[in-house]
Structures are given as C-alpha cells and as structure tokens.
Amino acid sequence: MKNDTFNDDRIKSGNQVEIQAYMTAIEAGIDAARVVMKYWPSLTNKDFDKNLALDIFQKEGTGNYATIADKVSEDIILNKIKSETLLSTHRIITEESDEIVSDSKWQWIIDPIDGTPPFKNGLPEFGISIGLLYGQEPRVGVIVMPAQKQLIASRKDHG
C-alpha cells in the first residue's frame, strides 16, 4: 500500500510540475514577445522603438550570431522559470547562455528568438521556442510568433 501511495504522490507531483511549467512557458513566451517587438525593425511594426539598438553579437561559427533582443528575450524566460518554486531546480539549455546544470530529470530547451536572420531583417518569420522534457520525453512545448500574433502551446496528452 505504501508503494501505491508513493507512486500516486510522484504522479501528482509530476502533473503539478507539468501544469506549472505549461502556464509559466506561456506567460514567459508572451512577456518575451511583447519586449522583442520593440526591437523588431519592420516598417509595419508600430511597437518598434527606434531608440533601442539592435546590436549583433558574433558567436562561435560562421554566420552564427545573436542580437540584444535574443538576450533580452532569454533573460525574461529564464527569470520566469527560476521564479517558480516547482521549476527553479530544473536543468536549462538555452541558445545564448551557458547551460544551467542540475540533477533534475526536468530539462528546459529554449531558443529566445528562433529565426534571428529574418528578425534582424524585419521579416515576420521568427518565433520564441520554449520546451520542457522529462528525461527524453517532451512534456510541454510553446511557440510564440510575435509578428504574426500567434501562440501555439501543447502539453503531453493535452494537445
């Protein structure tokens, strides 16, 4: 009987983590999208702030770079995840920063601006990608397409 209780608690705990992660990923994606739009240099973007610099940082490898908007977006997402007690001990792999190492089986994969070349050229084909794995199994996925005002979100077994 004790084993059944332990398993029920573990499943319940995993579901709570998943639900919190799903809500947090959506909120983080929306918050990051709002800020990213201030940096997107499109002639049609009414939110573009000409006073913000779109600095470009060269990374390792040919044609591999990031903008200040990538870093700002990433910081928003990381801060949102780290501020949630149930999520704060998770491993996090992001495109622009060093990995946050953890023994947790929960692992975030984040691309703060997926499609930096179109973004920096004022084209709308860019997004913010946030995913969560448990072990090797995808559990949460969120993609926000700020210029297209789209949000796609999914949780394992919940569409």
Side-chain angles (χ1 to χ4, degrees):
M1 191 67 155
K2 218 174 199 181
N3 282 343
D4 289 341
T5 303
F6 171 75
N7 288 337
D8 288 345
D9 288 344
R10 201 170 89 206
I11 290 167
K12 183 178 177 186
S13 175
N15 283 340
Q16 289 171 340
V17 169
E18 215 171 275
I19 291 165
Q20 183 63 59
Y22 181 72
M23 294 182 332
T24 300
I26 290 171
E27 289 174 20
I30 291 169
D31 290 351
R34 285 189 183 117
V35 173
V36 159
M37 289 301 286
K38 294 177 183 178
Y39 291 89
W40 182 51
S42 171
L43 296 175
T44 62
N45 180 11
K46 64 181 175 34
D47 296 322
F48 177 58
D49 184 343
K50 294 176 186 165
N51 297 316
L52 294 175
L54 190 59
D55 294 333
I56 296 174
F57 305 97
Q58 185 66 37
K59 298 185 332 185
E60 222 176 279
T62 305
N64 193 9
Y65 57 87
T67 67
I68 189 70
D70 287 89
K71 189 62 180 141
V72 170
S73 175
E74 183 177 274
D75 288 346
I76 290 167
I77 297 164
L78 289 175
N79 288 335
K80 192 69 111 173
I81 292 168
K82 290 177 188 178
S83 72
E84 296 295 337
T85 305
L86 287 175
L87 315 177
S88 63
T89 61
H90 292 179
R91 178 178 179 202
I92 304 175
I93 299 173
T94 65
E95 191 168 25
E96 311 310 333
S97 301
D98 292 335
E99 176 181 345
I100 296 173
V101 180
S102 168
D103 291 336
S104 175
K105 289 188 176 190
W106 294 99
Q107 172 179 274
W108 293 86
I109 310 293
I110 300 165
D111 190 344
I113 296 183
D114 192 358
T116 300
F119 173 81
K120 80 168 186 73
N121 289 308
L123 301 173
E125 292 82 18
F126 67 92
I128 296 164
S129 301
I130 305 169
L132 178 66
L133 305 173
Y134 183 76
Q136 295 299 312
E137 183 178 19
R139 294 298 185 96
V140 171
V142 172
I143 299 171
V144 181
M145 305 292 287
Q148 299 170 13
K149 297 182 177 16
Q150 292 180 339
L151 177 126
I152 302 134
S154 181
R155 199 176 111 217
K156 182 171 173 44
D157 298 328
H158 292 87

